[in-house]
Amino acid sequence: MGSWGSQAMGSSGHRVMGFTSHRVMWFPSNGILGFISHGVMMFTSHGVMRFISHRVIRLLGSSVIVLQSASNTVLQTKKYQDWREEDSEAVMTSSSGYPRDSFGTEALWNTESFGMTPTSSSGSPFVSIPVQCPNNNGLLYQSQHGPWNAQTNDGIMDKDKYFNEMENAKPVGYANDENTKILEEKSSIPAYQFTSVPDNFWNSNPYKAWNDNSITLKPTESMDNNMHQLDAPIPENIDTKELCEKLTQEIQKYYICRKYFAKKVLNKGPKVLRKMLNDPKPWNKLQSGRVNYIRIHNWLNLPLEKRLAILNLEFPERKCETTETIKAGPLNAQLPEKLDLEAEKLTEQLVQEIKTHEIPQAKFTNHQPIQKNLDVDDSINDQYNQQTLQTSSDKGSNDALCIPESQIQTYLHRDDINDQYNHKLLQKGNVYMYNHDPLLSNSDTADSNNQYSHQPINPYKPQPFPANINCTREIFKKQPFHSVDFILNKMVFKPSGMRSPSLDDSHRGDSDNNSTKPTSSSSSDSEAFAYYERLLAAPLANAAVLDTKVLCTSILQELEIKKISQTIFAKRVANCCQGTLSELIRKPKSWDSLKSGRGIYVRLFNWYQLPEDRRMEIVDKKMNWAVPEKKPIDGKGIRTSEAPAQKKPRTVFLPVQKSVLQTIFKENPRPSADVISHIAQALELDNGSVANFFQNTRKRTKDQQKRNRHPQNDFQGNQEENQQGDYY
DNA sequence: TTTGAGTCAATAGC
DNA sequence: GCTATTGACTCAAA
């Protein structure tokens, strides 16, 4: 819409360089107006008006700003909502890293010396240029003579004059999405062109097109942007001190996170807000800084519901909210730096409390509704009919109730002791991490990992504990595998005389099937490995539920304590590669959210359940197991080796490409093929890599969000969250 | 044909 | 050398 033209006389005729704002974007959240053009960008923000040539802002998706140099190097990307004044400053004043054109960034202020004149060849202002400038209340202003009139006689732009112009200009309206679209449609002519006749430039100039066929921007429409609510007309005067005191009270009253307040209301960082609150400047001393106070003023004047809505509406992943909630609770007073509590004592106290007050465990932790399947008697039938698996994350939230191993007597999946401990543990309020149906049995197929999704029904056959497995009961008692039970969620009681069918019978060394462990000395390693493979691949019982979080914590501890490398463990135990294992154990998914991916967790569980010597033998570096070809997991086909598809070399995104992709993803995680193609072209990537990026990022974002909903399942996420500060 | 889930495996980072 | 991250790939379901 707005356009500026200049002519630089070259030796070979007229070289007309036009810098025309082909697209105009108004960033309502911070009062910055961008003129987007194909060759030149002119930028206006509070008190700053600079000219940068050969910068291109491309609109990708709906509102992602991509700054590019003339050579298409991407300089910076941001969502327009995130664009701050300092970004403009940085872009416009930086010379390093940003290729300058021959005029330099100060060209605007000294147009004459570059042969650029705001006047036409006739010497008088040839064009009146509509200029959009936001005032402090977020309105676009139009000035018919804007910057041209602000020029001094010697060709230098007078900033004060320019902004006076702006102040006197006629308001146009909010440049909301609709208006932006209108403006975009108006601008489609390349700005940079050579012509032998100066007038040609003006004739082809979108400015002319604009004038010839002017359009009217729609007046302020319904507020689709919260900021508009904060951009109500400016009050004549604001007592900033009083305002800040009031805001401080509100922040404390509603446990508002300052950081988010600053972001959501002011679109500024926490420091800006902190400075304002600590040291409010008098209104009459303020200039562009008034906008912050105006927004606070307007925010405070909104109804509470709206006020909070503004803050809540876009809380990223509600992290802050979570923190606030936590901080708000009397139970969540700040912890001393060092806890002088014994975990066992604490656990005991908690268990006692729960018993005394009959607090449902599920309710105790994480405010989860009481899990129906904790109710042993009522839930049996439902489980069998619906096979509803309990989320391990819900269960995981009961971690606090896990009784330290030392307090639990050795618990084996043995007929003669199961009931005793089962009873005890239930009484203690312990939550089992394994859920099995004693009336149903294991799948017969030893290596089918898909069973956890399909759960075939087989009659359960009680098996005696193998006498010939090279592991005495004493050894078992010494092993930590009693804690295995914490990984199992038992939905139902165990009828006496039945042991847990958590492992396939082969694991038990059942004499009937001759699967006793061949010792390394008497049999080949491959036989031994095959034996272990059967143990590890043993399916869980039907309706079994693993608490993946507890399992993974245990596994991680084991790996760390026993110095087992993930690489070996992944190959020998998990039957996957190291990277996959790392991700699976660091970021476990809840059992019920797993589809075909339960197999690896079952293998981990089966390994963890083994006596220590067996566990260590499997992962012993010295043992050179002939690892068999990768078994098909979850019914998926084996990757055929006969026709190895040419794997595309891994693309290493340049930081700037990554940055652009991430920015676009935030705006539009699901771009169409056309947009992908467009992005790929702009970033000089192939479509496949861009598509992969979006695919992978969607998946990983989704996983992360799931973990955020159950942060106890995210080891890393917890740490990150703890690092967030500046909350009240 | 597109998308999600699961995974491999290259590689960054310590 | 080890682990975490992440681009590429496969398969199945929509």
Side-chain angles (χ1 to χ4, degrees):
Chain A
M1 163 176 161
S3 68
W4 274 5
S6 71
Q7 299 173 59
M9 302 295 287
S11 57
S12 55
H14 297 283
R15 177 171 174 257
V16 178
M17 185 180 175
F19 37 110
T20 307
S21 47
H22 280 215
R23 289 173 180 169
V24 179
M25 279 194 68
W26 158 236
F27 312 137
S29 53
N30 58 11
I32 292 176
L33 180 69
F35 293 77
I36 300 154
S37 78
H38 291 268
V40 176
M41 179 184 73
M42 186 178 74
F43 232 91
T44 308
S45 68
H46 293 297
V48 178
M49 185 164 179
R50 295 285 171 86
F51 158 64
I52 301 174
S53 70
H54 292 256
R55 299 280 192 277
V56 179
I57 294 185
R58 274 196 194 166
L59 285 175
L60 293 179
S62 60
S63 54
V64 174
I65 299 167
V66 181
L67 290 182
Q68 287 180 295
S69 69
S71 57
N72 282 338
T73 308
V74 176
L75 302 173
Q76 192 172 0
T77 61
K78 264 200 173 177
K79 280 172 75 177
Y80 80 91
Q81 294 97 323
D82 296 333
W83 192 269
R84 305 249 182 100
E85 193 162 332
E86 52 263 35
D87 294 317
S88 298
E89 286 279 6
V91 170
M92 287 182 264
T93 55
S94 166
S95 58
S96 58
Y98 297 96
R100 291 167 154 217
D101 73 328
S102 57
F103 299 119
T105 52
E106 291 297 319
L108 179 68
W109 308 113
N110 190 6
T111 53
E112 198 174 46
S113 61
F114 295 100
M116 300 165 70
T117 165
T119 60
S120 73
S121 53
S122 67
S124 59
F126 187 75
V127 287
S128 59
I129 298 169
V131 172
Q132 296 73 53
C133 177
N135 76 347
N136 282 344
N137 64 9
L139 287 176
L140 273 181
Y141 273 64
Q142 181 176 29
S143 168
Q144 285 300 311
H145 298 285
W148 304 102
N149 280 359
Q151 282 222 135
T152 59
N153 290 335
D154 57 0
I156 304 294
M157 185 65 72
D158 184 322
K159 294 183 189 179
D160 292 335
K161 204 168 177 187
Y162 169 76
F163 284 102
N164 281 337
E165 286 282 341
M166 293 304 101
E167 281 185 17
N168 296 324
K170 181 184 169 192
V172 175
Y174 287 106
N176 53 21
D177 287 349
E178 196 177 349
N179 283 342
T180 302
K181 200 178 163 198
I182 292 169
L183 292 168
E184 279 180 354
E185 284 168 0
K186 288 291 288 183
S187 29
S188 56
I189 302 172
Y192 186 88
Q193 48 187 284
F194 289 92
T195 171
S196 57
V197 184
D199 282 351
N200 285 359
F201 171 74
W202 301 110
N203 289 339
S204 63
N205 181 325
Y207 162 70
K208 184 167 167 38
W210 173 269
N211 266 3
D212 290 349
N213 184 21
S214 63
I215 55 167
T216 307
L217 293 180
K218 303 224 168 165
T220 305
E221 301 290 346
S222 58
M223 306 298 184
D224 57 346
N225 183 323
N226 281 319
M227 290 301 171
H228 291 182
Q229 297 180 60
L230 304 171
D231 289 334
I234 313 171
E236 296 224 336
N237 179 43
I238 290 177
D239 182 335
T240 54
K241 200 178 167 194
E242 190 187 321
L243 185 81
C244 289
E245 280 170 6
K246 200 172 168 189
L247 177 62
T248 305
Q249 286 169 10
E250 293 292 293
I251 282 174
Q252 286 169 355
K253 187 173 172 186
Y254 296 107
Y255 301 98
I256 293 164
C257 163
R258 283 191 181 201
K259 192 175 167 184
Y260 277 106
F261 183 89
K263 171 70 187 159
K264 294 295 162 188
V265 176
L266 308 178
N267 195 40
K268 293 278 161 54
K271 284 182 184 171
V272 173
L273 178 65
R274 193 182 304 137
K275 202 176 171 195
M276 287 174 68
L277 293 180
N278 291 342
D279 182 25
K281 285 186 179 170
W283 181 253
N284 56 10
K285 294 272 174 68
L286 286 162
Q287 289 180 357
S288 62
R290 283 186 181 179
V291 69
N292 293 333
Y293 292 94
I294 292 167
R295 291 207 162 128
I296 292 173
H297 171 90
N298 289 336
W299 182 81
L300 285 169
N301 283 334
L302 288 171
L304 178 63
E305 194 186 345
K306 280 191 176 177
R307 264 189 281 159
L308 297 181
I310 285 173
L311 295 173
N312 284 328
L313 200 62
E314 290 175 331
F315 274 175
E317 297 166 12
R318 309 181 73 80
K319 271 190 174 178
C320 178
E321 191 184 63
T322 306
T323 312
E324 285 166 14
T325 311
I326 287 166
K327 292 197 173 196
L331 293 171
N332 295 294
Q334 202 170 9
L335 287 172
E337 278 192 13
K338 206 174 175 184
L339 269 179
D340 191 21
L341 288 171
E342 285 176 42
E344 292 186 10
K345 266 188 186 172
L346 183 63
T347 310
E348 212 163 30
Q349 283 170 11
L350 285 171
V351 171
Q352 194 55 46
E353 283 285 303
I354 292 164
K355 272 172 72 179
T356 309
H357 301 292
E358 295 180 347
I359 304 168
Q361 299 157 27
K363 205 170 178 176
F364 177 79
T365 56
N366 213 21
H367 306 291
Q368 294 295 332
I370 301 168
Q371 296 297 317
K372 192 181 175 187
N373 52 13
L374 288 175
D375 186 332
V376 170
D377 294 322
D378 290 343
S379 58
I380 296 173
N381 291 334
D382 284 347
Q383 295 159 32
Y384 296 159
N385 294 337
Q386 300 169 12
Q387 295 276 318
T388 307
L389 299 179
Q390 194 169 8
T391 65
S392 93
S393 46
D394 287 345
K395 292 285 193 186
S397 65
N398 288 293
D399 281 354
L401 301 174
C402 285
I403 299 160
E405 288 181 3
S406 56
Q407 291 186 17
I408 304 170
Q409 296 175 54
T410 308
Y411 172 53
L412 304 176
H413 297 305
R414 296 278 319 279
D415 304 337
D416 51 346
I417 52 177
N418 270 346
D419 291 335
Q420 175 193 347
Y421 288 109
N422 216 354
H423 181 63
K424 259 193 180 176
L425 292 167
L426 280 171
Q427 259 199 337
K428 280 201 168 194
N430 187 40
V431 175
Y432 293 93
M433 306 309 175
Y434 169 50
N435 192 343
H436 75 256
D437 176 351
L439 303 176
L440 304 175
S441 169
N442 306 335
S443 161
D444 290 334
T445 50
D447 67 355
S448 164
N449 291 311
N450 209 24
Q451 63 203 283
Y452 310 109
S453 306
H454 303 304
Q455 302 284 354
I457 296 172
N458 291 300
Y460 173 71
K461 296 183 224 166
Q463 299 290 343
F465 195 83
N468 53 352
I469 193 161
N470 189 19
C471 205
T472 65
R473 189 180 298 186
E474 283 310 304
I475 291 174
F476 271 82
K477 281 181 180 173
K478 286 176 190 164
Q479 308 310 322
F481 81 98
H482 54 258
S483 59
V484 160
D485 240 36
F486 287 97
I487 300 164
L488 301 169
N489 292 319
K490 297 190 181 68
M491 288 163 79
V492 293
F493 65 91
K494 245 183 266 200
S496 65
M498 289 188 175
R499 64 167 172 78
S500 163
S502 57
L503 285 183
D504 184 83
D505 290 334
S506 61
H507 165 228
R508 306 293 170 191
D510 181 6
S511 54
D512 289 347
N513 59 16
N514 292 322
S515 58
T516 55
K517 174 192 174 291
T519 61
S520 298
S521 55
S522 63
S523 310
S524 71
D525 282 354
S526 64
E527 268 182 78
F529 187 85
Y531 164 78
Y532 281 130
E533 178 55 30
R534 281 201 299 278
L535 300 190
L536 297 171
L540 283 187
N542 290 310
V545 172
L546 288 181
D547 187 311
T548 52
K549 188 252 174 173
V550 175
L551 172 64
C552 290
T553 311
S554 310
I555 295 287
L556 274 168
Q557 279 173 357
E558 279 288 287
L559 297 185
E560 200 170 314
I561 292 166
K562 306 274 170 53
K563 303 279 180 240
I564 302 165
S565 92
Q566 282 190 6
T567 310
I568 286 186
F569 188 79
K571 278 208 182 88
R572 298 197 187 163
V573 176
N575 193 30
C576 66
C577 63
Q578 176 271 328
T580 304
L581 175 81
S582 172
E583 178 142 18
L584 286 178
I585 59 181
R586 286 273 168 205
K587 304 169 183 174
K589 289 182 170 180
S590 66
W591 182 255
D592 71 336
S593 73
L594 287 162
K595 292 192 161 47
S596 61
R598 292 175 175 175
I600 291 179
Y601 289 110
V602 175
R603 291 179 69 95
L604 301 189
F605 171 73
N606 286 343
W607 176 82
Y608 192 64
Q609 192 169 235
L610 292 172
E612 183 173 358
D613 59 344
R614 291 288 134 84
R615 274 187 278 144
M616 294 311 291
E617 190 175 20
I618 291 173
V619 295
D620 190 345
K621 279 184 187 170
K622 283 173 277 181
M623 298 298 286
N624 190 21
W625 297 122
V627 180
E629 269 189 45
K630 180 141 179 62
K631 295 193 171 188
I633 295 236
D634 311 330
K636 289 182 180 177
I638 312 167
R639 292 205 161 93
T640 50
S641 55
E642 61 264 22
Q646 192 83 29
K647 196 168 182 178
K648 187 181 165 191
R650 189 183 179 91
T651 305
V652 182
F653 292 131
L654 298 170
V656 71
Q657 291 170 323
K658 196 65 175 287
S659 161
V660 172
L661 290 168
Q662 285 168 338
T663 310
I664 295 168
F665 179 85
K666 280 181 204 156
E667 187 63 25
N668 177 16
R670 218 177 274 276
S672 66
D674 279 351
V675 174
I676 285 178
S677 181
H678 182 67
I679 294 166
Q681 205 180 355
L683 299 181
E684 293 175 344
L685 289 165
D686 64 283
N687 289 8
S689 296
V690 175
N692 277 339
F693 171 84
F694 280 95
Q695 181 62 55
N696 285 326
T697 312
R698 273 201 301 274
K699 179 179 182 298
R700 286 165 183 152
T701 305
K702 190 179 168 190
D703 290 345
Q704 182 60 48
Q705 282 169 348
K706 272 187 189 171
R707 287 196 299 274
N708 287 345
R709 280 197 288 275
H710 298 290
Q712 68 273 16
N713 281 3
D714 183 14
F715 305 108
Q716 286 150 354
N718 288 338
Q719 292 162 8
E720 282 163 22
E721 216 161 49
N722 291 338
Q723 286 166 4
Q724 292 206 349
D726 210 10
Y727 298 121
Y728 277 73

